[in-house]
Amino acid sequence: MEQLSNELRNFIVENFLFGQSSDFSDNDSFLKTRIIDSTGVVELISWVEESYGIRVEDDEIVPDNLDSINKLSRFIERKTCVSR
Amino acid sequence: MCGIAGVLERKSGVVDRWMLQRMVSALSHRGPDGQGIHIDREIGLGHTRLSIIDLAGGKQPMSNPEGTIWIAFNGEIFNYIELRAGLVNRGWCFTTKSDTEVILRLYEERGEDCVHELNGQWAFAIWDTRQNKLFLSRDRMGVRPLFYAITADRLMFASEIKALFAGSTDLDRRIDLEALDQIFTFWVTLPPRTAFKGISQLPPGHSMIVHEGVTRIVKYWQPSYEPEGTEDSPSVVKILTEELLSLLQDATRIRLRSDVPVGAYLSGGIDSSLITALIQRAHKGALRTFSVAFDDAEFDESSYQQQASAFLNTDHKQIRCSYQDIGEVFPEVVWHAEQPILRTAPAPLFRLSSLVHESGFKVVLTGEGADEILGGYDIFMEAKIRRFWAANPNSRRRPLLLKKLYPYMQNLQTQSGEYLRSFFHVTESNQQSPFFSHLPRWQLTSMLKVFFSQDVRSQLASHDVYRDVQAALPPEYAGWPHFCQAEYLETAYLLPGYILSSQGDRMAMAHSIEGRYPFLDHRIVKFAGQLSPSLKMKVLNQKFLLKHAAEGLIPPEIVRRPKQPYRAPDGKSFFQPNALPYVEELLSLDKIIGAGIFDPSAVSALVKKFKAGRAIGVKDNMALVGILSTQLLTESFVDRFHPGARISWSNSATNCAISS
């Protein structure tokens, strides 16, 4: 879990903050903190699908699954468990 | 329409003619039809002319017959015929048929209060030899630009910043970091600030008086909101629709006054279609219209433009823009805009004015201003939905309205309602903010500051842009309805600072084209300020009253179509997928470190993302255009400024030249 959180954090920092800041907590909402704009969600999903070999269904594209490091890592854990 | 320049030598009392000449020459694109200079002891006035009214008699700088008052004027006074008749009745004599002489006489009669009588778009300088007084003025809405610099020795002023830099080498050509902080929040600087340290602009609706060593800047007008009643019954709507239409017809009629042919921009939306329809009512002979078309269908509105042109019977011409067209002209666009911009939208307008110029026209009427004053912008609707939702935060239905926003943004529309809820989430403190409507935009734009270098970030650590805008607001602001507060923020800042300048005057004047804006006639702005917000946006129906006014005059499909704001492709214009050579160079490690404004590793990560085709978000695109335009500005104004010339970028990455 911790390794996954770190990977996610690295991706968010590199890809959306261009390595410039990591000053947010694992519970902070990406949208409310404006780290990701609403058009950037598509980017996040493609990366998650590609990196973890999972498919994010349309009805799973909700902030409860994707909108913080913690939510995202729980979601990925769940999905990868199922697919195994 | 023209360019003006001037200098008041407060210390030496002697004007350097060549300095003034350099200033005027730097503005020659604004006025290719003639130049003039007048020097009298400590004052020098310069003018470069685009002749539109009184082709034979309108030479400038101009004086009254007694030679006691001199003027250099850029713009048009549309009610000059009526003003002149009144002045003649009161015994004033005229030697020309120009609007310039009308300002002179009106100033003689009323002094600085003369501006209240003017209906038009202007930036002028009057030198009154009787009192050794300099009087500068800029129109109410900020259609025409006027910049100045005050040094220990002198006051310099001009239509464009490049003229000030061309005139004096004493001026420190430096990007103002606090201005950058403002632009990377609000998209504009707050007047009098400009993108350059030590260079100011006279704010719209202001005059400057320099007399007996004292400089005073006086506000003579501002947008104001005093809605009269909230009734929107059919009979009230009918009366107000007629009133709006009659004002618009008159505003259009007087904006057709010209001794050269007048054309119009036809974007395919309600505003420009209605103006075109009103021109057709007042105009004799064939009307020429012009528009921008895009190869990328996401931005293209050609079909609506053709529909409007056919319906309104105009002779229509369009200029088609590919990604490459936009990327290639962008350095010139920034040279003319003279400030960092976050969107490429000015670039197609730069190409459009070139088409108009080649077609033999000098003047166009456009639909600019309707969105600001009559409730057209999505940001007004967004704020209304957010506030409606905040009134009942537990409602599941209210935030569903957010789906109605931005129907033209494909990436956004694919999001679930839950996502929009999260993005437009309203907190208690947001609700209390005087900037409620603009917070989502400003907060998102502020995220671009992660690209600022460590040095810039530490220099800006104590700067608070929200304090800047708070301090700039008029005292009445707090008492205005929320809807009107949002309108004010658009009308007072984004309109003059970006729409009328970077997308307006600067792009048009780059090819000697004058834009005229009937919606920005101050009588209409005043009328709109008295309308109940429900007549501007009825529930979520934008431009409610204007749509009523347009009914029957323009194609019904255009009245009913969903609003599509004017936009252009951003990142794709520079990466195809490799970067254009000049982009590669300006965003290279060396250039980024050299300019010192942005963080080299952050910029290189952004460039990598664009090259990989992964940068699809709004934020990344704004960041790219903002960084690139700031780098271009640094290159052409700070590092290698060349009076009256611009850096032209060849296709080779390392080879660029300066051309005059």
Side-chain angles (χ1 to χ4, degrees):
Chain A
M1 182 87 177
E2 200 182 320
Q3 193 200 333
L4 177 57
S5 294
N6 284 341
E7 279 171 24
L8 296 176
R9 175 171 285 275
N10 284 344
F11 171 74
I12 298 291
V13 169
E14 284 308 311
N15 202 64
F16 293 103
L17 296 167
F18 302 91
Q20 291 307 290
S21 161
S22 52
D23 186 21
F24 60 98
S25 84
D26 286 356
N27 280 322
D28 279 348
S29 153
F30 299 145
L31 286 166
K32 287 175 192 165
T33 53
R34 306 289 188 243
I35 291 171
I36 297 184
D37 66 76
S38 52
T39 53
V41 177
V42 179
E43 224 179 299
L44 177 66
I45 295 165
S46 341
W47 179 78
V48 166
E49 290 187 331
E50 217 170 278
S51 312
Y52 297 97
I54 55 175
R55 204 184 125 108
V56 182
E57 303 298 334
D58 282 359
D59 60 1
E60 291 172 328
I61 305 178
V62 290
D64 270 351
N65 288 335
L66 307 168
D67 196 34
S68 72
I69 301 268
N70 280 341
K71 285 176 180 169
L72 190 55
S73 64
R74 277 198 299 270
F75 175 68
I76 294 170
E77 291 257 307
R78 223 165 45 232
K79 290 286 282 190
T80 46
C81 259
V82 171
S83 58
R84 270 187 221 129
Chain B
M1 262 303 280
C2 317
I4 63 169
V7 56
L8 180 65
E9 290 289 355
R10 298 207 278 200
K11 203 169 169 189
S12 71
V14 182
V15 171
D16 172 356
R17 169 175 284 272
W18 294 112
M19 171 174 157
L20 187 56
Q21 183 58 55
R22 284 197 304 276
M23 293 173 75
V24 174
S25 297
L27 299 172
S28 53
H29 53 279
R30 297 184 70 91
D33 299 333
Q35 291 188 353
I37 277 180
H38 170 73
I39 293 174
D40 179 16
R41 290 166 301 145
E42 71 264 48
I43 187 77
L45 296 177
H47 188 262
T48 178
R49 184 171 188 221
L50 181 66
S51 30
I52 290 172
I53 289 178
D54 193 4
L55 308 185
K59 281 210 182 81
Q60 293 191 49
M62 181 186 279
S63 75
N64 59 354
E66 300 75 28
T68 53
I69 300 168
W70 284 83
I71 185 170
F73 160 50
N74 163 213
E76 303 294 341
I77 305 304
F78 300 117
N79 62 340
Y80 77 103
I81 293 176
E82 292 76 10
L83 290 174
R84 190 178 196 270
L87 285 160
V88 168
N89 279 340
R90 296 193 294 277
W92 293 95
C93 297
F94 286 86
T95 55
T96 74
K97 292 193 165 68
S98 67
D99 51 346
T100 314
E101 196 178 6
V102 170
I103 308 176
L104 269 178
R105 289 306 201 187
L106 207 58
Y107 170 79
E108 281 190 82
E109 187 180 87
R110 293 201 53 184
E112 290 121 34
D113 283 341
C114 67
V115 291
H116 295 288
E117 302 285 314
L118 306 178
N119 183 340
Q121 48 196 42
W122 67 84
F124 64 71
I126 286 178
W127 175 247
D128 187 339
T129 62
R130 302 167 308 180
Q131 309 173 62
N132 276 2
K133 183 168 78 179
L134 180 66
F135 172 49
L136 304 179
S137 178
R138 189 171 176 208
D139 64 67
R140 297 175 181 86
M141 306 304 290
V143 176
R144 294 297 155 226
L146 188 53
F147 298 96
Y148 63 91
I150 296 176
T151 65
D153 295 343
R154 63 182 68 93
L155 163 71
M156 302 169 74
F157 55 89
S159 300
E160 296 187 17
I161 295 171
K162 54 181 71 70
L164 301 176
F165 289 155
S168 170
T169 48
D170 297 348
L171 296 175
D172 193 10
R173 298 191 316 272
R174 255 193 313 145
I175 304 274
D176 179 344
L177 295 181
E178 293 186 2
L180 212 58
D181 203 9
Q182 291 183 349
I183 292 170
F184 279 67
T185 310
F186 312 125
W187 300 15
V188 294
T189 58
L190 304 174
R193 201 182 280 278
T194 72
F196 294 96
K197 194 103 187 145
I199 307 292
S200 303
Q201 58 175 314
L202 192 58
H206 281 65
S207 297
M208 181 197 281
I209 298 124
V210 189
H211 189 212
E212 293 178 341
V214 179
T215 302
R216 282 186 300 131
I217 293 179
V218 186
K219 185 198 280 185
Y220 68 85
W221 189 90
Q222 71 169 38
S224 185
Y225 304 89
E226 292 151 9
E228 292 174 347
T230 53
E231 205 194 333
D232 52 12
S233 66
S235 61
V236 169
V237 169
K238 187 166 180 289
I239 293 167
L240 291 172
T241 300
E242 280 166 15
E243 198 178 336
L244 173 60
L245 206 50
S246 119
L247 279 170
L248 264 176
Q249 184 68 67
D250 197 59
T252 305
R253 179 183 66 85
I254 59 175
R255 277 164 184 74
L256 291 170
R257 288 176 171 169
S258 162
D259 294 332
V260 296
V262 175
Y265 282 174
L266 196 52
S267 72
I270 298 176
D271 313 337
S272 62
S273 300
L274 179 57
I275 295 302
T276 303
L278 298 177
I279 296 173
Q280 289 291 48
R281 280 176 158 189
H283 186 261
K284 290 183 188 71
L287 176 66
R288 291 283 288 274
T289 50
F290 303 90
S291 71
V292 171
F294 291 99
D295 282 355
D296 186 335
E298 187 184 341
F299 305 95
D300 189 55
E301 298 182 72
S302 295
S303 65
Y304 288 111
Q305 292 160 2
Q306 275 145 14
Q307 202 170 4
S309 165
F311 186 94
L312 297 167
N313 195 23
T314 73
D315 177 4
H316 190 71
K317 248 188 180 175
Q318 56 175 214
I319 189 152
R320 186 159 277 281
C321 291
S322 65
Y323 299 135
Q324 191 167 348
D325 292 329
I326 293 169
E328 277 177 358
V329 298
F330 197 66
E332 274 197 89
V333 165
V334 175
W335 167 256
H336 285 283
E338 301 185 320
Q339 61 180 342
I341 46 181
L342 306 179
R343 292 282 169 91
T344 59
L349 295 167
F350 174 84
R351 298 191 73 232
L352 180 61
S353 67
S354 159
L355 171 72
V356 176
H357 180 78
E358 284 159 20
S359 306
F361 282 74
K362 291 178 177 178
V363 183
V364 284
L365 268 62
T366 89
E368 222 59 80
D371 286 326
E372 286 81 357
I373 64 166
L374 290 166
Y377 278 131
D378 285 332
I379 200 167
F380 303 146
M381 179 147 83
E382 179 190 296
K384 200 165 174 177
I385 296 172
R386 285 166 55 235
R387 217 177 265 284
F388 177 66
W389 173 25
N392 184 357
N394 297 323
S395 162
R396 305 292 297 176
R397 286 176 179 276
R398 293 185 180 210
L400 294 179
L401 292 169
L402 291 166
K403 271 271 177 196
K404 280 200 172 281
L405 290 166
Y406 313 113
Y408 47 88
M409 288 182 74
Q410 292 161 359
N411 284 339
L412 203 137
Q413 281 304 305
T414 54
Q415 310 301 312
S416 69
E418 288 295 310
Y419 254 105
L420 295 173
R421 271 169 64 99
S422 211
F423 184 76
F424 291 113
H425 172 76
V426 181
T427 64
E428 191 66 35
S429 70
N430 285 169
Q431 277 194 74
Q432 306 308 323
S433 165
F435 313 116
F436 175 83
S437 56
H438 282 60
L439 288 177
R441 179 196 285 174
W442 291 353
Q443 288 168 348
L444 179 68
T445 309
S446 293
M447 288 304 288
L448 308 185
K449 295 176 205 174
V450 300
F451 288 96
F452 285 173
S453 66
Q454 279 304 333
D455 179 39
V456 167
R457 271 192 259 175
S458 61
Q459 289 190 55
L460 289 174
S462 61
H463 182 232
D464 178 356
V465 287
Y466 287 91
R467 207 166 46 212
D468 293 349
V469 65
Q470 181 83 56
L473 294 178
E476 302 90 319
Y477 182 88
W480 289 333
H482 296 308
F483 192 88
C484 300
Q485 291 181 336
E487 286 186 296
Y488 178 82
L489 295 177
E490 289 294 280
T491 307
Y493 303 124
L494 197 71
L495 179 67
Y498 175 74
I499 304 280
L500 293 175
S501 49
S502 295
Q503 283 191 187
D505 174 87
R506 305 326 205 51
M507 293 310 112
M509 288 312 287
H511 296 111
S512 314
I513 299 299
E514 169 180 297
R516 296 180 175 185
Y517 315 101
F519 282 106
L520 295 178
D521 185 307
H522 68 281
R523 296 170 299 171
I524 296 174
V525 178
K526 184 175 175 208
F527 169 83
Q530 291 166 345
L531 288 176
S532 155
S534 68
L535 290 165
K536 297 174 189 171
M537 189 178 296
K538 179 126 173 160
V539 191
L540 294 180
N541 187 2
Q542 295 163 302
K543 288 194 280 208
F544 176 73
L545 195 69
L546 186 67
K547 284 179 183 166
H548 271 268
E551 205 73 59
L553 294 174
I554 67 175
E557 297 80 2
I558 289 182
V559 180
R560 284 196 298 266
R561 67 176 284 207
K563 178 171 172 56
Q564 175 167 353
Y566 166 70
R567 297 179 307 141
D570 293 310
K572 283 180 186 167
S573 304
F574 305 104
F575 291 90
Q576 304 160 350
N578 291 324
L580 295 179
Y582 79 86
V583 177
E584 190 80 60
E585 185 185 339
L586 287 174
L587 301 183
S588 69
L589 210 59
D590 278 0
K591 288 283 185 188
I592 294 288
I593 292 171
I597 295 170
F598 300 106
D599 183 275
S601 68
V603 173
S604 94
L606 181 72
V607 168
K608 212 166 122 196
K609 196 169 172 184
F610 270 96
K611 285 184 177 168
R614 288 188 293 110
I616 51 173
V618 171
K619 203 164 58 135
D620 293 345
N621 278 275
M622 280 204 290
L624 176 79
V625 180
I627 293 166
L628 184 59
S629 56
T630 308
Q631 288 290 103
L632 277 164
L633 207 64
T634 306
E635 188 77 6
S636 52
F637 281 85
V638 178
D639 294 344
R640 294 199 285 165
F641 181 75
H642 194 275
R646 72 206 69 170
I647 299 172
S648 71
W649 299 87
S650 78
N651 283 329
S652 147
T654 51
N655 182 14
C656 66
I658 292 174
S659 65
S660 13

